[in-house]
Amino acid sequence: MWQPAETYPDPAVRALDPRGVGLIPFNAGVERLFGGCRWAEGPVWFGDSRALLWSDIPNDRILRWSESTGAVDEFRKPSNNANGNTRDRQGRLITCEHLTRRVTRTEYDGSITVLMDRFEGKRLNSPNDVVVKSDDSIWFSDPAFGILHDYEGSRAQAELPMAIYRLDPADGKATIAADGLEGPNGLCFSPDESKLYVVESAARPRRTWVFDVEGETLRNRRPFVDCGPGGTPDGWRVDERGNVWAGWGMEPGLNGVRVFAPDGAPILHIDLPERCANLCFGGKAKNRLFMAASRSLYALYTNIRGIA
């Protein structure tokens, strides 16, 4: 049973480099906001309603936590085994769905628009994580994780190679931004959007990459961080300094969040009792880190703001 730290600073917060010192207030601690998920993923902050949405993939639902009351309810069930979520520049929810193998947009009236479910006439695999660029383009990863078994989707045969796609919602044009990846997973832009960071989850050992963003494509792929023995990155987000905050874990002592400087050096680790899959920044000042970790949702205030 997880218990909050009784003293400050929270021993769960460990600086690994001088650049990690001061990223967390000395009197801020990890908080557990909710338990009872089967596999928590895809957190996204809605500041206009002071709420966080996140996916519980095997339970086929999107949950909602209220900052004002602390209550949790079901935002959507069934969710089509929703995984990654984000918002577009108009504030609408963008969701990756495993079961239906599609990317959708939830309109202001609650109706759902299918943005993409096929490429060149073939079904997508199981869209996983998604980010929206300032030009409104939608970038998402499409590994096969949701069609390998019936636990987080429905077992099926892949029709397309695994890839990262760029979608222009204005005209529906979709292009392959990068391919040749084994299980592309988490992705996020650098603050100036000149780079895209990508997790390659099915590679052994697991790998992470940084690409240069050139128009509709990704070029100049190069290693970003060394995951090391047992290192298991999943989803990640970037702060205003360009640090990358990664869901991490799979082994005791590694579970939680690991933070990397723009040069790829590990600078901070946040210990959690569960492997963290994905995370996001939220709150009024975008200085509260929300961590979707296996069965639970955790939060921690920071001294730095996340990039919207």
Side-chain angles (χ1 to χ4, degrees), residues 175-248:
T175 55
I176 294 177
D179 55 12
L181 296 164
E182 299 179 63
N185 196 336
L187 64 170
C188 64
F189 287 105
S190 61
D192 64 1
E193 299 183 333
S194 67
K195 300 179 177 62
L196 186 75
Y197 300 98
V198 176
V199 173
E200 189 178 16
S201 286
R204 295 294 182 273
R206 293 175 176 84
R207 296 186 289 244
T208 65
W209 304 100
V210 55
F211 293 81
D212 292 329
V213 180
E214 296 184 9
E216 299 178 0
T217 60
L218 301 174
R219 303 191 186 281
N220 191 25
R221 181 173 77 171
R222 54 207 183 271
F224 177 49
V225 303
D226 180 0
C227 298
T232 311
D234 193 330
W236 44 18
R237 292 294 180 263
V238 171
D239 68 28
E240 60 190 343
R241 295 181 190 167
N243 299 317
V244 180
W245 300 62
W248 204 257

Side-chain angles (χ1 to χ4, degrees), residues 100-132:
T100 49
R101 300 163 70 171
R102 66 187 189 179
V103 178
T104 64
R105 182 178 66 215
T106 301
E107 308 296 348
Y108 301 126
D109 62 3
S111 61
I112 295 176
T113 299
V114 178
L115 297 177
M116 184 172 172
D117 61 359
R118 294 175 183 272
F119 182 74
E120 297 183 344
K122 298 178 181 179
R123 296 190 70 187
L124 297 175
N125 297 308
S126 56
N128 187 289
D129 203 1
V130 58
V131 289
V132 176

Side-chain angles (χ1 to χ4, degrees), residues 28-296:
V30 176
E31 304 167 78
R32 187 171 184 259
L33 304 179
F34 183 77
C37 297
R38 280 205 170 98
W39 183 250
E41 257 279 12
V44 57
W45 176 252
F46 277 73
D48 38 4
S49 58
R50 294 182 60 195
L52 183 92
L53 303 184
W54 80 98
S55 299
D56 183 6
I57 305 176
N59 281 328
D60 196 19
R61 60 184 180 172
I62 296 176
L63 296 170
R64 174 173 48 198
W65 172 81
S66 169
E67 183 183 44
S68 58
T69 67
V72 172
D73 65 355
E74 288 181 346
F75 172 79
R76 178 176 297 157
K77 184 178 175 68
S79 67
N80 296 319
N81 298 115
N83 188 342
N85 298 288
T86 193
R87 299 182 77 179
D88 66 12
R89 297 291 165 155
Q90 292 72 45
R92 296 167 295 189
L93 176 66
I94 307 295
T95 300
C96 294
E97 299 178 0
H98 279 186
L99 184 65
T100 49
R101 300 163 70 171
R102 66 187 189 179
V103 178
T104 64
R105 182 178 66 215
T106 301
E107 308 296 348
Y108 301 126
D109 62 3
S111 61
I112 295 176
T113 299
V114 178
L115 297 177
M116 184 172 172
D117 61 359
R118 294 175 183 272
F119 182 74
E120 297 183 344
K122 298 178 181 179
R123 296 190 70 187
L124 297 175
N125 297 308
S126 56
N128 187 289
D129 203 1
V130 58
V131 289
V132 176
K133 200 166 175 279
S134 60
D135 63 0
D136 291 327
S137 60
I138 297 169
W139 301 63
F140 68 93
S141 55
D142 186 40
F145 303 140
I147 59 174
L148 295 177
H149 310 285
D150 297 313
Y151 185 56
E152 295 186 0
S154 182
R155 186 169 55 188
Q157 191 69 34
E159 299 178 25
L160 289 164
M162 293 181 281
I164 296 171
Y165 291 90
R166 178 192 183 274
L167 172 66
D168 186 339
D171 58 13
K173 179 186 176 183
T175 55
I176 294 177
D179 55 12
L181 296 164
E182 299 179 63
N185 196 336
L187 64 170
C188 64
F189 287 105
S190 61
D192 64 1
E193 299 183 333
S194 67
K195 300 179 177 62
L196 186 75
Y197 300 98
V198 176
V199 173
E200 189 178 16
S201 286
R204 295 294 182 273
R206 293 175 176 84
R207 296 186 289 244
T208 65
W209 304 100
V210 55
F211 293 81
D212 292 329
V213 180
E214 296 184 9
E216 299 178 0
T217 60
L218 301 174
R219 303 191 186 281
N220 191 25
R221 181 173 77 171
R222 54 207 183 271
F224 177 49
V225 303
D226 180 0
C227 298
T232 311
D234 193 330
W236 44 18
R237 292 294 180 263
V238 171
D239 68 28
E240 60 190 343
R241 295 181 190 167
N243 299 317
V244 180
W245 300 62
W248 204 257
M250 207 75 99
E251 292 186 11
L254 294 177
N255 290 330
V257 171
R258 184 153 293 190
V259 185
F260 298 91
D263 62 6
I267 61 175
L268 184 79
H269 191 87
I270 303 166
D271 287 314
L272 296 176
E274 308 171 75
R275 182 244 174 117
C276 180
N278 213 329
L279 43 79
C280 75
F281 287 91
K284 183 178 180 180
K286 296 191 287 292
N287 70 327
R288 196 174 190 184
L289 181 70
F290 293 96
M291 300 164 278
S294 300
R295 297 179 176 88
S296 306

Side-chain angles (χ1 to χ4, degrees), residues 14-29:
R14 298 185 283 117
L16 306 177
D17 180 278
R19 288 171 287 181
V21 176
L23 288 178
I24 308 299
F26 84 91
N27 56 351

